[in-house]
């Protein structure tokens, strides 16, 4: 009987360890959400404040460049703003996951919303990357001129703001995987 | 001489149970016939069917873009009179990415079959969820970058003096737009697949 009681004690310690691991996962998720929020908000602000006016006048090309001039960049700013607002709004929910024990239904909701937001953010980032690539290299076959040869600082800024957005996409994907791991650990 | 009909034969198992084999803390789940297993099996079958549909969507997207070459019958001074997917690097990325996605879904069909056979096992479902999320990101990137380039090809851009080439190459533009739409359908399938895996994991 003694070894039976020892095994009961061991199993309950196993349950306690499992609870501690779930808490660690929830804290890690909370921190990742904050980092992703900062990435998306900085990408949105960096892209939205690009503005370059050339000091000279050319006959063929406009001498003013703005993020509004390219619809893909406008979509990028909007997508990043929406995702950063979503991340701020789900921070309290992530905090509740640290504290509460039975979080399965809210985790399912969080997975569904995270999947939608990953789609939106990846879409914005990829379309902006395609347009930025076109602005850098141009295209000989379609006679599209690379505008970066005139607007240097504009191009540098829009390229830099893509980085934060891609990091946030990777973080959101990792968050989905973490939520799934936390879901599968329950018994 | 023992009269065996009057003595009850104690089987050896109960004495070893008294010695302290692990007592049951929870009820062991029957992995094939309980109600939760049936629900998970239904989700797995739906998952398998969605994967078949996603194979069709991804390969249609890759194939349509690959065969979208167009040669104009007349000669113009300023524009090339031939257009193909390899004239634009974004479309090259699109074809390569969608072919990889179609190959991945074909390779993930066996894992999906494993989740049908063992509906309450968590490891194959978790593996499928991780891979599906990553592939969904890749598909969305390919689809939206090709969509951005298609938009510029259709409408041009006055601020950067990019001319809309679709006014010359009508068939090419139609085929590439169709390929982009098909790849967005594949992305929606992947989103549903990820959510399905998540819901099935909850009930394990």
């Amino acid at each position: 009987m003694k070894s039976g009681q020892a095994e009961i004690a061991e199993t309950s310690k196993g349950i306690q360890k499992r609870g501690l691991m779930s808490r660690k996962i929830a804290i890690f998720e909370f921190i990742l959400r904050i980092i992703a929020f900062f990435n998306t908000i900085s990408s949105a602000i960096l892209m939205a404040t690009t503005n370059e006016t050339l000091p000279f006048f050319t006959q063929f090309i406009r001498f003013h460049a703005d993020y509004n001039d390219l619809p893909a960049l406008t979509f990028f700013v909007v997508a990043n703003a929406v995702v950063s607002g979503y991340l701020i709004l789900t921070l309290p929910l992530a905090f509740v996951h640290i504290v509460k024990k039975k979080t399965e239904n809210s985790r399912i909701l969080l997975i569904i919303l995270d999947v939608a937001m990953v789609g939106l953010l990846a879409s914005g980032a990829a379309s902006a990357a395609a347009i930025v690539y076109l602005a850098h290299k141009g295209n000989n076959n379609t006679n599209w001129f690379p505008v970066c040869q005139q607007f240097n600082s504009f191009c540098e800024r829009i390229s830099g703001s893509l980085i934060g957005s891609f990091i946030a996409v990777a973080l959101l994907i990792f968050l989905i995987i973490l939520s799934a791991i936390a879901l599968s650990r329950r018994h | 001489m023992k009269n065996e009909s009057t003595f009850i034969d104690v089987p050896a198992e109960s004495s070893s149970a008294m010695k302290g084999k692990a007592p049951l803390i929870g009820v062991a789940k029957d992995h094939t016939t309980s109600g939760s297993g049936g629900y998970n099996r239904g989700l797995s079958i739906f998952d398998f069917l969605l994967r078949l549909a996603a194979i069709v969507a991804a390969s249609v997207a890759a194939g349509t873009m690959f065969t979208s070459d167009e040669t104009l019958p007349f000669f113009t001074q300023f524009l090339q009179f031939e257009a193909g997917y390899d004239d634009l690097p974004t479309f090259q990325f699109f074809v390569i990415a969608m072919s990889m996605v179609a190959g991945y879904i074909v390779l993930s069909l066996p894992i999906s079959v494993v989740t049908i056979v063992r509906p309450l096992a968590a490891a194959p479902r978790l593996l499928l969820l991780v891979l599906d999320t990553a592939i969904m990101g890749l598909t969305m990137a390919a689809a939206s970058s090709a969509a951005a380039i298609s938009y510029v090809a259709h409408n041009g851009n006055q601020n950067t003096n990019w001319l809309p080439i679709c006014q010359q190459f009508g068939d090419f533009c139609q085929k590439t737009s169709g390929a982009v739409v098909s790849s967005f359908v594949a992305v929606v399938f992947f989103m549903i697949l990820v959510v399905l895996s998540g819901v099935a994991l909850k009930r394990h």
Side-chain angles (χ1 to χ4, degrees), chain A residues 1 3-4 7-8 11 60 62 69-71 104-105 108 112 115 118-119 122-123 126-127 130-131 133-135 139 141-145 147 173 176-177 180-181 183-184 186, chain B residues 18-23 25 78-80 87-90 126 129-130 133 136 140-141 144-145 148-149 151-153 157 159-163 165 191 194-195 198-199 201-202 204:
Chain A
M1 292 292 255
S3 50
E7 288 180 10
I8 292 176
T11 319
F60 302 111
R62 251 170 85 119
D69 296 336
L70 291 150
E104 295 183 359
N105 290 328
I108 289 281
I112 294 175
V115 163
V118 158
S123 172
S127 54
I131 294 297
Y133 179 83
L134 201 56
N139 193 304
N141 303 313
T142 50
N143 277 343
W144 289 339
F145 184 68
V147 278
I173 290 182
I176 294 177
I177 295 174
I181 291 177
L183 259 186
S184 72
R186 312 259 169 203
Chain B
M18 296 288 283
K19 282 185 194 159
K21 265 186 181 170
I25 300 293
F78 301 113
L79 291 174
Q80 238 194 26
D87 292 334
L88 289 145
T90 307
L126 195 55
L129 190 139
V130 169
T133 313
M136 181 190 83
M140 193 50 154
S144 53
S145 54
I149 298 294
Y151 180 84
V152 174
N157 193 307
N159 303 312
T160 52
N161 276 343
W162 290 339
L163 294 177
I165 66 167
M191 287 187 181
V194 169
V195 170
V199 170
L201 271 178
K202 170 189 156 192
H204 121 98

Coordinates of all heavy atoms in Angstrom, one line a residue, chain A residues 1 3-4 7-8 11 60 62 69-71 104-105 108 112 115 118-119 122-123 126-127 130-131 133-135 139 141-145 147 173 176-177 180-181 183-184 186, chain B residues 18-23 25 78-80 87-90 126 129-130 133 136 140-141 144-145 148-149 151-153 157 159-163 165 191 194-195 198-199 201-202 204:
Chain A
M1 N 0.8 -1.2 0.0 CA 0.0 0.0 0.0 C 0.9 1.2 0.0 O 0.5 2.3 -0.5 CB -0.9 0.0 1.2 CG -1.9 -1.1 1.2 SD -3.1 -0.7 -0.1 CE -4.5 -0.2 0.8
S3 N 3.7 1.8 -1.5 CA 4.2 2.2 -2.9 C 3.0 2.8 -3.7 O 3.2 3.7 -4.5 CB 4.8 1.1 -3.6 OG 4.0 0.0 -3.6
G4 N 1.8 2.3 -3.4 CA 0.6 2.9 -4.1 C 0.4 4.3 -3.7 O 0.2 5.2 -4.5
E7 N 2.9 6.5 -5.3 CA 2.6 6.8 -6.7 C 1.5 7.8 -6.8 O 1.5 8.6 -7.8 CB 2.3 5.5 -7.5 CG 3.5 4.6 -7.6 CD 3.2 3.3 -8.3 OE1 2.1 3.2 -8.8 OE2 4.1 2.5 -8.4
I8 N 0.5 7.8 -5.9 CA -0.5 8.8 -5.9 C 0.2 10.2 -5.7 O -0.1 11.2 -6.4 CB -1.6 8.6 -4.8 CG1 -2.4 7.3 -5.2 CG2 -2.5 9.8 -4.7 CD1 -3.4 7.0 -4.1
T11 N 1.9 11.3 -8.9 CA 1.1 11.8 -10.0 C 0.5 13.2 -9.7 O 0.4 14.0 -10.6 CB -0.1 10.8 -10.2 OG1 0.4 9.5 -10.0 CG2 -0.7 10.9 -11.5
F60 N 9.6 64.6 -66.3 CA 8.8 63.4 -66.5 C 8.2 62.9 -65.2 O 7.2 62.2 -65.2 CB 9.6 62.4 -67.2 CG 10.1 62.8 -68.5 CD1 11.4 63.1 -68.8 CD2 9.2 63.1 -69.6 CE1 11.8 63.5 -70.0 CE2 9.6 63.5 -70.8 CZ 10.9 63.7 -71.0
R62 N 7.2 63.1 -61.1 CA 6.8 63.9 -59.9 C 7.9 64.1 -59.0 O 8.7 63.2 -58.7 CB 5.6 63.2 -59.2 CG 4.3 63.9 -59.4 CD 3.3 63.0 -58.9 NE 3.1 63.2 -57.5 CZ 1.9 63.6 -57.0 NH1 0.9 63.8 -57.8 NH2 1.7 63.7 -55.7
D69 N 0.8 57.5 -52.5 CA 0.9 57.4 -53.9 C 0.8 55.9 -54.4 O 0.5 55.7 -55.6 CB 2.2 58.0 -54.4 CG 2.3 59.5 -54.1 OD1 1.2 60.1 -54.0 OD2 3.4 60.0 -54.0
L70 N 1.1 55.0 -53.5 CA 1.1 53.6 -53.9 C 0.0 52.9 -53.1 O 0.2 52.8 -51.9 CB 2.5 53.0 -53.7 CG 3.5 53.5 -54.7 CD1 4.9 53.5 -54.1 CD2 3.5 52.7 -55.9
P71 N -1.0 52.3 -53.7 CA -2.1 51.7 -52.9 C -1.6 50.5 -52.1 O -2.2 50.3 -51.0 CB -3.1 51.2 -54.0 CG -2.7 51.8 -55.2 CD -1.3 52.3 -55.1
E104 N -9.9 26.8 -22.1 CA -9.9 26.2 -23.5 C -10.7 27.0 -24.5 O -10.3 27.2 -25.6 CB -10.5 24.8 -23.3 CG -9.6 23.9 -22.5 CD -10.1 22.5 -22.4 OE1 -11.1 22.2 -23.0 OE2 -9.4 21.7 -21.8
N105 N -11.9 27.4 -24.1 CA -12.7 28.1 -25.1 C -12.2 29.4 -25.6 O -12.2 29.8 -26.7 CB -14.1 28.3 -24.5 CG -14.9 27.0 -24.4 OD1 -14.7 26.1 -25.2 ND2 -15.7 26.9 -23.4
I108 N -9.4 28.8 -28.1 CA -9.9 28.5 -29.4 C -10.3 29.8 -30.1 O -9.9 30.1 -31.3 CB -11.2 27.6 -29.4 CG1 -10.8 26.2 -28.9 CG2 -11.9 27.6 -30.7 CD1 -10.2 25.4 -30.1
I112 N -8.6 31.4 -33.6 CA -9.3 31.8 -34.8 C -9.0 33.2 -35.1 O -8.6 33.6 -36.3 CB -10.8 31.7 -34.5 CG1 -11.2 30.2 -34.4 CG2 -11.6 32.3 -35.7 CD1 -12.6 30.0 -34.0
V115 N -5.3 33.6 -36.5 CA -5.2 33.1 -37.9 C -5.7 34.2 -38.8 O -5.0 34.5 -39.8 CB -6.0 31.8 -38.1 CG1 -6.2 31.5 -39.5 CG2 -5.2 30.6 -37.4
V118 N -3.0 36.9 -38.8 CA -1.8 36.5 -39.6 C -2.0 36.7 -41.1 O -1.2 37.2 -41.8 CB -1.4 35.1 -39.2 CG1 -0.5 34.5 -40.3 CG2 -0.6 35.1 -38.0
G119 N -3.2 36.3 -41.5 CA -3.5 36.4 -42.9 C -3.5 37.9 -43.4 O -2.9 38.2 -44.4
A122 N 0.2 39.2 -43.1 CA 1.1 38.7 -44.2 C 0.8 39.2 -45.5 O 1.6 39.5 -46.4 CB 1.0 37.1 -44.2
S123 N -0.6 39.4 -45.7 CA -1.0 40.0 -47.0 C -0.4 41.4 -47.2 O 0.1 41.7 -48.3 CB -2.5 40.0 -47.1 OG -3.0 40.7 -48.2
A126 N 3.4 41.3 -47.6 CA 3.9 40.8 -48.9 C 3.6 41.7 -50.1 O 4.5 41.8 -51.0 CB 3.3 39.4 -49.1
S127 N 2.4 42.3 -50.1 CA 2.1 43.2 -51.2 C 3.0 44.4 -51.2 O 3.5 44.9 -52.2 CB 0.7 43.5 -51.2 OG 0.3 44.1 -50.0
A130 N 6.4 43.5 -52.5 CA 6.4 43.3 -53.9 C 6.6 44.7 -54.6 O 7.3 44.9 -55.5 CB 5.2 42.6 -54.5
I131 N 5.8 45.7 -54.1 CA 5.8 47.0 -54.6 C 7.2 47.7 -54.3 O 7.8 48.4 -55.2 CB 4.7 47.9 -54.1 CG1 3.4 47.3 -54.6 CG2 4.8 49.3 -54.5 CD1 3.2 47.3 -56.1
Y133 N 10.0 46.2 -54.0 CA 11.0 45.5 -54.9 C 10.9 46.2 -56.3 O 11.9 46.4 -56.9 CB 10.7 44.0 -54.9 CG 11.6 43.3 -55.9 CD1 12.9 42.9 -55.4 CD2 11.2 43.0 -57.2 CE1 13.7 42.2 -56.3 CE2 12.1 42.3 -58.0 CZ 13.3 41.9 -57.6 OH 14.2 41.2 -58.4
L134 N 9.7 46.4 -56.7 CA 9.5 47.0 -58.0 C 10.0 48.4 -58.0 O 10.6 48.9 -59.0 CB 8.0 47.0 -58.3 CG 7.6 47.2 -59.8 CD1 8.2 46.1 -60.6 CD2 6.1 47.1 -59.8
A135 N 9.9 49.1 -56.9 CA 10.4 50.5 -56.8 C 11.9 50.5 -56.9 O 12.5 51.4 -57.4 CB 9.9 51.2 -55.6
N139 N 11.3 47.2 -63.9 CA 11.1 46.0 -64.7 C 11.3 46.4 -66.1 O 10.6 47.3 -66.7 CB 9.7 45.5 -64.5 CG 9.6 44.1 -65.1 OD1 9.8 43.9 -66.2 ND2 9.2 43.2 -64.2
N141 N 10.9 44.6 -68.8 CA 9.9 44.0 -69.8 C 8.6 44.9 -69.9 O 8.0 44.9 -70.9 CB 9.6 42.6 -69.4 CG 10.8 41.7 -69.4 OD1 11.6 41.8 -70.3 ND2 10.9 41.0 -68.3
T142 N 8.3 45.5 -68.8 CA 7.0 46.3 -68.8 C 7.3 47.8 -68.8 O 6.4 48.5 -68.6 CB 6.2 45.9 -67.5 OG1 7.1 46.0 -66.4 CG2 5.7 44.5 -67.6
N143 N 8.6 48.2 -68.9 CA 8.9 49.6 -68.9 C 8.5 50.3 -67.6 O 8.0 51.4 -67.7 CB 8.3 50.3 -70.1 CG 9.2 50.1 -71.3 OD1 10.4 49.7 -71.2 ND2 8.7 50.3 -72.5
W144 N 8.6 49.6 -66.5 CA 8.3 50.3 -65.2 C 9.6 50.8 -64.6 O 10.6 50.0 -64.4 CB 7.6 49.3 -64.3 CG 6.2 49.0 -64.7 CD1 5.4 49.7 -65.5 CD2 5.5 47.9 -64.3 NE1 4.2 49.1 -65.6 CE2 4.2 48.0 -64.9 CE3 5.7 46.8 -63.5 CZ2 3.2 47.1 -64.7 CZ3 4.7 45.9 -63.3 CH2 3.5 46.0 -63.9
F145 N 9.7 52.1 -64.4 CA 11.0 52.7 -64.0 C 11.2 52.6 -62.5 O 10.3 52.8 -61.7 CB 10.9 54.2 -64.4 CG 12.1 54.9 -64.2 CD1 13.2 54.7 -64.9 CD2 12.1 55.9 -63.2 CE1 14.4 55.4 -64.7 CE2 13.3 56.6 -63.0 CZ 14.4 56.4 -63.8
V147 N 11.8 53.9 -59.2 CA 11.7 55.3 -58.7 C 12.7 55.5 -57.6 O 13.0 56.7 -57.2 CB 10.3 55.6 -58.1 CG1 9.3 55.9 -59.2 CG2 9.8 54.4 -57.3
I173 N 2.7 33.8 -35.9 CA 2.6 32.4 -36.2 C 3.1 31.6 -35.0 O 2.5 30.6 -34.7 CB 3.5 32.1 -37.5 CG1 2.8 32.6 -38.7 CG2 3.7 30.6 -37.6 CD1 3.6 32.4 -40.0
I176 N 0.3 31.3 -32.5 CA -0.7 30.3 -32.8 C -0.2 29.0 -32.4 O -1.0 28.2 -31.8 CB -1.0 30.4 -34.3 CG1 -1.7 31.7 -34.7 CG2 -1.9 29.2 -34.7 CD1 -1.9 31.8 -36.2
I177 N 1.0 28.7 -32.7 CA 1.6 27.3 -32.3 C 1.6 27.2 -30.8 O 1.2 26.1 -30.3 CB 3.0 27.2 -32.9 CG1 2.9 27.2 -34.5 CG2 3.6 25.9 -32.5 CD1 4.2 27.2 -35.2
A180 N -1.8 26.4 -29.6 CA -2.2 25.0 -29.9 C -1.5 24.0 -28.9 O -2.1 23.1 -28.4 CB -1.8 24.7 -31.3
I181 N -0.2 24.3 -28.6 CA 0.5 23.4 -27.6 C -0.2 23.5 -26.3 O -0.4 22.5 -25.6 CB 2.0 23.8 -27.5 CG1 2.7 23.5 -28.8 CG2 2.7 23.1 -26.4 CD1 4.1 23.9 -28.9
L183 N -3.3 24.2 -25.7 CA -4.6 23.5 -25.8 C -4.4 22.0 -25.6 O -5.1 21.3 -25.0 CB -5.2 23.8 -27.1 CG -6.3 24.8 -27.2 CD1 -6.9 24.8 -28.6 CD2 -7.4 24.5 -26.2
S184 N -3.3 21.5 -26.3 CA -3.2 20.0 -26.4 C -2.6 19.4 -25.1 O -2.6 18.2 -24.9 CB -2.2 19.6 -27.5 OG -0.9 20.0 -27.2
R186 N -3.9 20.0 -22.1 CA -5.0 19.7 -21.1 C -5.4 18.3 -21.2 O -5.4 17.7 -22.2 CB -6.1 20.6 -21.3 CG -5.8 22.0 -21.6 CD -6.0 22.8 -20.4 NE -5.4 24.1 -20.5 CZ -5.0 24.9 -19.5 NH1 -5.3 24.4 -18.3 NH2 -4.5 26.0 -19.6
Chain B
M18 N -2.8 -5.5 -4.4 CA -2.6 -5.1 -3.0 C -1.2 -4.6 -2.8 O -1.0 -3.7 -1.9 CB -2.9 -6.3 -2.0 CG -4.3 -6.8 -2.1 SD -5.4 -5.6 -1.4 CE -5.1 -5.9 0.3
K19 N -0.2 -5.1 -3.5 CA 1.2 -4.7 -3.3 C 1.5 -3.3 -3.9 O 2.6 -2.8 -3.8 CB 2.1 -5.7 -4.0 CG 2.3 -7.0 -3.2 CD 3.3 -7.9 -3.8 CE 3.2 -9.2 -3.2 NZ 3.8 -10.2 -4.1
G20 N 0.5 -2.7 -4.6 CA 0.8 -1.3 -4.9 C 1.1 -1.1 -6.4 O 2.0 -0.3 -6.7
K21 N 0.4 -1.8 -7.3 CA 0.4 -1.3 -8.7 C -0.2 0.1 -8.7 O -0.9 0.5 -7.8 CB -0.4 -2.2 -9.6 CG 0.5 -3.3 -10.2 CD -0.4 -4.1 -11.2 CE 0.4 -5.2 -11.8 NZ -0.5 -6.1 -12.6
A22 N 0.1 0.8 -9.8 CA -0.4 2.2 -9.8 C -1.9 2.3 -9.8 O -2.6 1.7 -10.6 CB 0.1 2.8 -11.1
P23 N -2.4 3.0 -8.8 CA -3.9 3.1 -8.7 C -4.4 4.0 -9.8 O -3.7 4.9 -10.3 CB -4.1 3.7 -7.3 CG -2.9 4.4 -7.1 CD -1.8 3.7 -7.7
I25 N -5.9 7.0 -11.4 CA -6.3 8.3 -11.0 C -7.4 8.8 -11.9 O -8.4 9.3 -11.5 CB -5.1 9.3 -11.2 CG1 -4.0 8.9 -10.3 CG2 -5.5 10.7 -10.8 CD1 -4.3 9.0 -8.8
F78 N 7.4 50.6 -78.5 CA 7.9 50.9 -77.2 C 7.8 49.7 -76.3 O 8.5 49.5 -75.3 CB 7.1 52.0 -76.5 CG 7.2 53.3 -77.3 CD1 6.1 53.8 -78.0 CD2 8.4 53.9 -77.4 CE1 6.2 55.0 -78.7 CE2 8.5 55.1 -78.1 CZ 7.5 55.6 -78.8
L79 N 6.7 48.8 -76.4 CA 6.5 47.7 -75.5 C 6.9 46.4 -76.2 O 6.8 46.2 -77.4 CB 5.1 47.6 -75.1 CG 4.6 48.8 -74.2 CD1 3.1 48.6 -74.0 CD2 5.3 48.7 -72.9
Q80 N 7.4 45.5 -75.3 CA 7.6 44.1 -75.8 C 6.3 43.5 -76.3 O 5.3 43.8 -75.7 CB 8.1 43.3 -74.6 CG 9.5 42.7 -74.9 CD 9.8 41.7 -73.9 OE1 8.9 41.1 -73.3 NE2 11.0 41.5 -73.6
D87 N 8.6 37.2 -66.9 CA 9.0 38.6 -67.0 C 8.9 39.4 -65.7 O 9.5 40.4 -65.6 CB 8.1 39.3 -68.0 CG 8.3 38.7 -69.4 OD1 9.4 38.2 -69.7 OD2 7.4 38.8 -70.2
L88 N 8.2 38.8 -64.8 CA 8.0 39.5 -63.5 C 8.5 38.6 -62.4 O 8.0 37.5 -62.2 CB 6.6 39.9 -63.3 CG 6.1 41.0 -64.2 CD1 4.6 40.8 -64.6 CD2 6.2 42.3 -63.5
P89 N 9.5 39.0 -61.6 CA 10.0 38.1 -60.6 C 9.0 37.7 -59.5 O 9.1 36.6 -59.0 CB 11.2 39.0 -59.9 CG 11.4 40.1 -60.9 CD 10.2 40.3 -61.7
T90 N 8.0 38.6 -59.3 CA 7.0 38.3 -58.3 C 6.2 37.1 -58.8 O 5.8 36.2 -58.0 CB 6.1 39.5 -58.1 OG1 6.9 40.6 -57.7 CG2 5.1 39.2 -57.0
L126 N -1.0 18.2 -33.8 CA -0.2 19.4 -33.5 C 0.8 19.6 -34.6 O 1.1 20.7 -35.0 CB 0.5 19.1 -32.2 CG 1.2 20.3 -31.5 CD1 0.1 21.4 -31.3 CD2 1.7 19.9 -30.2
L129 N -0.9 21.2 -37.5 CA -1.2 22.6 -37.2 C 0.0 23.4 -37.4 O -0.1 24.5 -38.1 CB -1.8 22.7 -35.8 CG -2.4 24.1 -35.5 CD1 -3.6 23.9 -34.6 CD2 -1.4 25.0 -34.7
V130 N 1.1 23.0 -36.9 CA 2.3 23.8 -37.0 C 2.7 24.0 -38.5 O 2.9 25.1 -39.0 CB 3.5 23.2 -36.3 CG1 4.8 23.8 -36.6 CG2 3.3 23.2 -34.8
T133 N 0.2 26.2 -40.5 CA 0.3 27.6 -40.2 C 1.4 28.2 -41.0 O 1.3 29.3 -41.6 CB 0.5 27.9 -38.7 OG1 -0.4 27.1 -38.0 CG2 0.3 29.3 -38.4
M136 N 0.5 28.4 -44.6 CA -0.5 29.4 -44.9 C 0.2 30.7 -45.0 O -0.2 31.6 -45.9 CB -1.5 29.4 -43.7 CG -2.6 30.4 -43.9 SD -3.6 30.6 -42.5 CE -2.6 31.8 -41.6
M140 N -0.1 32.9 -48.4 CA -0.6 34.3 -48.3 C 0.4 35.3 -48.9 O 0.0 36.2 -49.6 CB -1.0 34.6 -46.9 CG -1.8 35.9 -46.7 SD -3.3 35.8 -47.8 CE -4.4 36.9 -46.9
A141 N 1.7 35.1 -48.6 CA 2.7 36.0 -49.1 C 2.7 36.0 -50.7 O 2.7 37.0 -51.3 CB 4.0 35.7 -48.5
S144 N -0.6 37.5 -52.1 CA -0.9 38.9 -52.0 C 0.2 39.7 -52.8 O -0.1 40.8 -53.4 CB -0.9 39.4 -50.6 OG 0.2 38.9 -49.9
S145 N 1.4 39.2 -52.9 CA 2.4 39.9 -53.7 C 2.0 39.9 -55.2 O 2.1 40.9 -55.9 CB 3.8 39.4 -53.5 OG 3.9 38.0 -53.7
A148 N -0.7 42.3 -55.7 CA -0.2 43.7 -55.8 C 0.3 44.0 -57.2 O 0.0 45.1 -57.8 CB 0.8 44.0 -54.8
I149 N 1.1 43.1 -57.8 CA 1.7 43.3 -59.1 C 0.5 43.3 -60.1 O 0.6 44.1 -61.1 CB 2.7 42.3 -59.4 CG1 3.9 42.4 -58.4 CG2 3.2 42.4 -60.8 CD1 4.6 43.7 -58.5
Y151 N -2.5 44.3 -59.7 CA -3.2 45.6 -59.5 C -2.4 46.7 -60.3 O -3.1 47.4 -61.0 CB -3.3 45.9 -58.1 CG -4.0 47.2 -57.8 CD1 -5.4 47.3 -57.8 CD2 -3.3 48.4 -57.7 CE1 -6.1 48.5 -57.6 CE2 -4.0 49.6 -57.5 CZ -5.3 49.6 -57.5 OH -6.0 50.8 -57.3
V152 N -1.1 46.7 -60.2 CA -0.3 47.7 -60.9 C -0.4 47.5 -62.4 O -0.5 48.4 -63.2 CB 1.1 47.7 -60.4 CG1 2.0 48.6 -61.3 CG2 1.2 48.1 -59.0
A153 N -0.4 46.2 -62.8 CA -0.5 45.9 -64.2 C -1.9 46.3 -64.8 O -2.0 46.7 -65.9 CB -0.3 44.4 -64.5
N157 N 0.2 53.3 -62.4 CA 0.3 54.2 -61.3 C 0.8 55.5 -61.8 O 1.9 55.6 -62.5 CB 1.3 53.7 -60.3 CG 1.3 54.4 -59.0 OD1 1.4 55.7 -59.0 ND2 1.1 53.8 -57.9
N159 N 1.6 58.3 -60.3 CA 2.6 59.0 -59.5 C 4.0 58.5 -59.9 O 5.0 59.2 -59.8 CB 2.4 58.9 -58.0 CG 1.0 59.3 -57.6 OD1 0.6 60.4 -58.0 ND2 0.3 58.5 -56.9
T160 N 4.1 57.2 -60.3 CA 5.5 56.7 -60.6 C 5.6 56.4 -62.1 O 6.6 55.9 -62.5 CB 5.7 55.4 -59.8 OG1 4.6 54.6 -60.1 CG2 5.8 55.6 -58.3
N161 N 4.6 56.9 -62.8 CA 4.7 56.7 -64.3 C 4.8 55.2 -64.7 O 5.6 54.9 -65.6 CB 5.8 57.5 -64.9 CG 5.4 58.9 -65.2 OD1 4.2 59.2 -65.2 ND2 6.3 59.8 -65.4
W162 N 4.1 54.4 -64.0 CA 4.1 53.0 -64.4 C 2.8 52.7 -65.3 O 1.7 52.9 -64.8 CB 4.0 52.0 -63.2 CG 5.3 52.0 -62.4 CD1 6.6 52.4 -62.9 CD2 5.5 51.6 -61.1 NE1 7.5 52.2 -61.9 CE2 6.9 51.8 -60.8 CE3 4.7 51.2 -60.1 CZ2 7.4 51.5 -59.6 CZ3 5.2 50.9 -58.9 CH2 6.6 51.0 -58.6
L163 N 3.0 52.3 -66.5 CA 1.9 52.2 -67.4 C 1.2 50.8 -67.2 O 1.8 49.8 -67.0 CB 2.4 52.2 -68.9 CG 2.9 53.6 -69.3 CD1 3.4 53.5 -70.8 CD2 1.9 54.6 -69.2
I165 N 0.0 47.6 -68.3 CA 0.3 46.8 -69.4 C -0.9 45.9 -69.8 O -0.9 45.3 -70.9 CB 1.5 45.9 -69.2 CG1 1.2 44.9 -68.1 CG2 2.7 46.7 -68.8 CD1 2.2 43.8 -68.0
M191 N -6.7 28.4 -43.7 CA -7.2 29.0 -42.5 C -8.2 28.0 -41.8 O -8.1 27.8 -40.6 CB -7.8 30.3 -42.7 CG -6.8 31.4 -43.1 SD -7.7 33.0 -43.2 CE -6.4 34.1 -43.6
V194 N -6.4 25.1 -40.2 CA -5.7 25.4 -38.9 C -6.7 25.4 -37.8 O -6.5 24.9 -36.7 CB -4.9 26.7 -39.0 CG1 -4.5 27.2 -37.7 CG2 -3.7 26.6 -39.9
V195 N -7.8 26.1 -38.0 CA -8.9 26.2 -37.0 C -9.4 24.8 -36.6 O -9.6 24.5 -35.5 CB -10.0 27.2 -37.4 CG1 -11.1 27.1 -36.5 CG2 -9.4 28.6 -37.5
G198 N -7.1 23.1 -34.4 CA -7.1 23.6 -33.1 C -8.3 23.1 -32.3 O -8.2 22.7 -31.1
V199 N -9.5 23.1 -33.0 CA -10.7 22.6 -32.3 C -10.6 21.1 -31.9 O -11.0 20.7 -30.8 CB -12.0 22.8 -33.2 CG1 -13.2 22.1 -32.6 CG2 -12.2 24.3 -33.3
L201 N -7.8 19.5 -31.3 CA -6.9 19.4 -30.2 C -7.5 19.7 -28.9 O -7.2 19.1 -27.9 CB -5.7 20.4 -30.4 CG -4.6 19.9 -31.2 CD1 -3.5 21.0 -31.3 CD2 -3.9 18.7 -30.6
K202 N -8.5 20.6 -28.9 CA -9.2 20.9 -27.6 C -9.9 19.7 -27.0 O -9.9 19.5 -25.8 CB -10.2 22.0 -27.9 CG -11.0 22.3 -26.7 CD -12.1 23.3 -27.1 CE -13.3 23.1 -26.2 NZ -14.5 23.8 -26.7
H204 N -9.1 16.6 -27.2 CA -8.3 15.4 -27.0 C -8.1 15.2 -25.5 O -8.6 14.4 -24.8 CB -6.9 15.6 -27.6 CG -5.8 15.5 -26.6 ND1 -5.1 14.3 -26.5 CD2 -5.3 16.3 -25.7 CE1 -4.2 14.4 -25.6 NE2 -4.3 15.7 -25.1

